């Protein structure tokens, strides 16, 4: 699009100055529809749910936990790290903290003690919510701990607090994501982030109060916390979360048992369902359509899914800093080779890779950018110097590092990452984070990591190691053991490849693309 047609900023309604994310997502529905079911938790594909929460009981649970967090000594704006298993209590702590004006830090139980210790230190958390099985051996001084039993007592013994009087721009939650540094970086979101998700309602989901959203993710994943909980609840709709064994065949059964009308998952799960379950037109109950995000879908997935059962899949592209902002939907049908169009109200353009703020014309590849006025955009990177934040800002635009092309109709085709972030099994992983741990091994002289495409729709992390002694390389099993002790499983390299020298440019810059090609040839 030419520059004169680019609006000056976000064109949708803006949030009110006084705004609490939990009150928006839960409180308004609890007031309007207290007895309506808000959440079903299931651990079996058939039979009744293990937990049923109305909007009124959901609100009560969250506000009681908020009262308990206050009793634990937290002050407005304090951070608390959540490291709980996949139970509803995770969601209650997350929203209860936000309701009371605290800043939760959701994390995965897959993280090692070392990784958890870094998040506790970097976030400056005052509290850790963890069960015994996932509690680290040591925590930094000044960090108190709460167990699931403590949280359960809050839910039964304490009177509910009220929603804190927060502003739309006040910090609401902090998530850590892999970036271009050797450690994860914190992305700080404001309460307005929930309001900033409103363009997804029609621009991706087509969601209404009668819908039942089944999400395949765990409670600790921001994809689940947003798409699976926040957005359905803000619309008065039901959320269905499954906590049992996640084999591909359980999802069609859950859809039929609990009358799911919307299903959200990563693309790879849809491919597994097709391969192992083959639900057909009658095997998905009242499902209207599916939603995919988190990774690029494998070629042909949308056509194969539609041919099997007649339903459409709608794709979305996003990032931790703003969630999804480009998508297809019933009003913006999928177009082959394109993700979709900017969601209603969002202002998106393509900028030159090197420099400049003049949008490129249709069909030219550049950096995908979104206007900084978007209410869904993060407050900034936590505990990072301004120079790092400046790397993603260019004039009035936020640049997340995605290469893309936009056609004359506004459809956006994703062309990969401008930086070296690896995308393996649906996770974004910084190569530098993995390399820093590999470099600790004495017998490793040099190391670099890159994505390896083992199939057209599956990539894994490969570690390319230059041994100190070429005649006696390190034991691959020892390398794997070293990594598994220090990094979450999804960050650990699946392939260890020994090479004589790392490929570099004349200026000494590592050529990761060459590593990816080398890894693919050996896969």
């Amino acid at each position: 699009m030419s520059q004169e047609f680019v609006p000056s900023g976000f064109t949708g309604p803006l949030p009110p100055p006084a705004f609490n994310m939990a009150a928006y997502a839960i409180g308004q529905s609890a007031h309007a529809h207290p007895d309506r079911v808000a959440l079903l938790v299931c651990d079996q594909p058939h039979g009744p749910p293990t937990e049923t929460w109305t909007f009124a009981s959901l609100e009560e649970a969250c506000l009681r936990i908020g009262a308990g967090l206050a009793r634990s000594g937290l002050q407005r704006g304090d951070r608390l790290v959540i490291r709980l298993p996949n139970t509803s209590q995770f969601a209650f702590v997350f929203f209860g903290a936000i309701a009371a004006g605290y800043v939760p830090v959701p994390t995965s139980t897959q993280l090692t003690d070392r990784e958890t210790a870094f998040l506790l230190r970097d976030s400056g958390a005052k509290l850790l919510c963890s069960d015994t099985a996932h509690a680290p051996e040591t925590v930094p001084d000044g960090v108190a701990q709460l167990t699931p039993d403590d949280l359960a007592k809050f839910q039964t013994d304490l009177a509910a607090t009220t929603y804190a009087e927060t502003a739309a721009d006040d910090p609401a939650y902090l998530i850590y994501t892999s970036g271009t540094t050797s450690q994860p970086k914190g992305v700080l979101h404001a309460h307005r982030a929930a309001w900033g998700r409103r363009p997804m309602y029609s621009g991706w989901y087509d969601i209404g109060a009668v819908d039942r959203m089944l999400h395949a993710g765990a409670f600790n994943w921001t994809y689940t916390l947003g798409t699976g909980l926040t957005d359905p609840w803000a619309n008065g709709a039901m959320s269905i979360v499954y906590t049992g064994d996640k084999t591909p065949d359980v999802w069609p059964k859950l859809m039929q048992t609990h009358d799911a009308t919307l299903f959200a998952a990563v693309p790879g799960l849809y491919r597994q369902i097709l391969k192992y379950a083959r639900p057909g037109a009658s095997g998905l109950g009242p499902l209207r359509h599916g939603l995919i995000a988190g990774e690029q879908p494998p070629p042909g997935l949308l056509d194969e899914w539609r041919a099997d059962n007649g339903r459409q899949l709608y794709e979305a592209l996003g990032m931790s800093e703003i969630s999804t902002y480009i998508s297809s939907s019933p009003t913006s049908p999928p177009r082959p080779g394109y993700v979709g169009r900017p969601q209603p109200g969002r202002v998106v353009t393509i900028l030159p890779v090197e420099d400049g703020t003049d949008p490129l014309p249709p069909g030219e590849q550049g950096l995908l950018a979104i206007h900084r006025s978007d209410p869904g955009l993060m407050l900034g990177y936590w505990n990072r110097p301004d120079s790092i934040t400046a790397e993603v800002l260019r004039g009035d635009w936020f640049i997340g590092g995605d290469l893309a092309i936009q056609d004359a109709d506004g459809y956006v085709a994703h062309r990969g990452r401008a930086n070296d972030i690896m995308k393996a099994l649906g996770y974004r992983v910084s190569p530098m984070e993995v390399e820093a741990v590999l470099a600790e091994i004495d017998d490793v002289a040099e190391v670099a990591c890159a994505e390896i495409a083992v199939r057209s729709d599956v990539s894994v992390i490969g570690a390319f190691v230059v041994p100190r002694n070429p005649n006696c390389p390190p034991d691959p099993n020892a390398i794997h053991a070293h990594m598994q002790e220090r990094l979450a499983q999804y960050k650990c390299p699946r392939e260890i490849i020994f090479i004589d020298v790392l490929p570099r440019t004349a200026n000494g810059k590592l050529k990761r693309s060459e590593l990816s090609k080398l890894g693919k040839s050996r896969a």
Side-chain angles (χ1 to χ4, degrees):
M1 63 177 69
S2 60
Q3 187 177 10
E4 59 267 27
F5 295 114
V6 178
S8 59
F10 182 78
T11 61
L14 295 174
F19 185 80
N20 183 286
M21 174 177 165
Y24 170 77
I26 299 172
Q28 62 178 1
S29 291
H31 176 74
H33 312 287
D35 297 326
R36 181 180 294 174
V37 175
L39 175 64
L40 296 181
V41 181
C42 315
D43 63 2
Q44 298 292 332
H46 294 299
T50 55
E51 300 177 48
T52 300
W53 297 85
T54 65
F55 278 106
S57 62
L58 171 65
E59 180 182 53
E60 187 80 5
C62 293
L63 293 181
R64 288 188 178 200
I65 283 182
L69 296 175
R71 177 174 288 190
S72 301
L74 290 185
Q75 302 296 317
R76 179 72 67 87
D78 280 348
R79 277 78 58 206
L80 63 148
V81 170
I82 308 174
R83 195 175 187 225
L84 293 169
N86 192 35
T87 68
S88 57
Q89 210 169 55
F90 195 112
F92 299 161
V93 176
F94 179 79
F95 286 99
I98 293 173
Y102 311 128
V103 181
V105 185
T107 68
S108 169
T109 54
Q110 294 186 56
L111 298 182
T112 64
D113 285 2
R114 170 175 166 157
E115 292 170 302
T116 303
F118 167 78
L119 298 187
L120 287 167
R121 291 193 306 270
D122 189 74
S123 67
K126 298 294 181 65
L127 189 64
L128 170 65
C129 297
S130 176
D131 64 353
T132 303
H134 300 105
E137 292 185 7
T138 59
V139 298
D141 292 339
V143 178
Q145 296 188 63
L146 291 176
T147 67
D149 287 342
D150 296 325
L151 298 170
K153 288 181 180 179
F154 294 163
Q155 290 178 239
T156 58
D157 297 350
L158 298 184
T161 187
T162 57
Y163 292 102
E165 295 181 358
T166 53
D169 282 330
D170 284 347
Y173 63 96
L174 176 64
I175 54 175
Y176 277 83
T177 181
S178 292
T180 54
T181 60
S182 61
Q183 296 283 10
K185 60 184 177 182
V187 177
L188 183 63
H189 277 285
H191 283 265
R192 57 174 162 77
W195 184 280
R197 303 181 63 86
R198 289 164 66 97
M200 302 181 208
Y201 300 168
S202 63
W204 185 23
Y205 307 145
D206 184 32
I207 192 171
V210 298
D211 276 309
R212 295 170 169 236
M213 171 75 81
L214 172 63
H215 200 292
F219 281 108
N220 61 32
W221 196 9
T222 52
Y223 185 13
T224 309
L225 291 170
T227 300
L229 300 179
T230 304
D231 297 339
W233 291 344
N235 284 275
M238 181 191 299
S239 296
I240 306 168
V241 178
Y242 176 66
T243 60
D245 294 333
K246 296 181 178 180
T247 55
D249 62 302
V250 306
W251 302 108
K253 296 174 183 176
L254 285 163
M255 294 175 205
Q256 294 185 77
T257 301
H258 300 292
D259 294 328
T261 59
L262 301 172
F263 178 54
V266 294
L269 181 55
Y270 285 92
R271 174 60 61 85
Q272 291 177 350
I273 293 172
L274 286 175
K275 182 176 181 180
Y276 296 106
R278 282 290 172 188
S282 62
L284 300 180
L287 187 77
R288 294 197 290 120
H289 50 256
L291 308 165
I292 54 176
E295 62 186 6
Q296 186 172 343
L301 174 63
L302 274 67
D303 291 338
E304 292 175 29
W305 183 262
R306 190 167 54 250
D308 172 79
N309 55 67
R311 272 76 161 190
Q312 186 64 267
L313 294 182
Y314 296 115
E315 182 183 358
L317 175 67
M319 50 190 158
S320 300
E321 291 85 346
I322 195 172
S323 195
T324 77
Y325 58 105
I326 293 170
S327 53
S328 58
S329 70
T331 55
S332 293
R335 180 174 293 186
Y338 293 85
V339 176
R341 291 194 291 193
Q343 294 162 355
R346 305 201 194 275
V347 179
V348 172
T349 194
I350 308 296
L351 297 180
V353 173
E354 297 301 328
D355 198 9
T357 57
D358 291 339
L360 297 174
E364 286 198 22
Q365 179 171 297
L367 287 171
L368 185 58
I370 185 165
H371 203 274
R372 291 170 61 182
S373 60
D374 197 295
L377 190 61
M378 65 174 183
L379 287 169
Y381 294 118
W382 175 260
N383 221 12
R384 298 280 172 147
D386 291 341
S387 59
I388 293 180
T389 304
E391 291 177 5
V392 297
L393 302 178
R394 190 186 297 181
D396 291 332
W397 301 99
F398 174 85
I399 302 170
D402 290 298
L403 293 170
I405 294 171
Q406 190 170 32
D407 70 10
D409 296 326
Y411 276 82
V412 175
H414 189 230
R415 292 291 186 262
R417 299 286 298 171
N419 55 32
D420 293 320
I421 293 297
M422 299 179 291
K423 201 77 172 285
L425 302 177
Y427 294 96
R428 287 182 63 195
V429 181
S430 165
M432 296 180 68
E433 182 183 5
V434 183
E435 290 161 3
V437 178
L438 282 162
E440 298 172 355
I441 302 173
D442 291 338
D443 294 333
V444 171
E446 283 190 291
V447 64
C449 294
E451 259 184 63
I452 299 175
V454 294
R455 294 202 312 267
S456 62
D457 58 335
V458 176
S459 293
V460 300
I461 296 173
F464 299 82
V465 176
V466 179
R468 292 191 183 278
N469 183 352
N471 297 319
C472 186
D475 179 6
N477 292 328
I479 293 177
H480 283 299
H482 177 88
M483 302 303 290
Q484 290 171 356
E485 289 176 1
R486 292 161 174 80
L487 291 175
Q489 184 65 37
Y490 64 82
K491 299 179 185 178
C492 294
R494 297 298 182 95
E495 299 287 340
I496 307 293
I497 299 174
F498 295 104
I499 57 178
D500 295 329
V501 63
L502 296 177
R504 298 186 182 276
T505 65
N507 294 325
K509 185 176 180 181
L510 181 67
K511 299 168 68 175
R512 291 191 194 275
S513 60
E514 294 298 319
L515 292 176
S516 296
K517 293 176 183 177
L518 175 61
K520 185 176 181 180
S521 68
R522 298 191 183 186

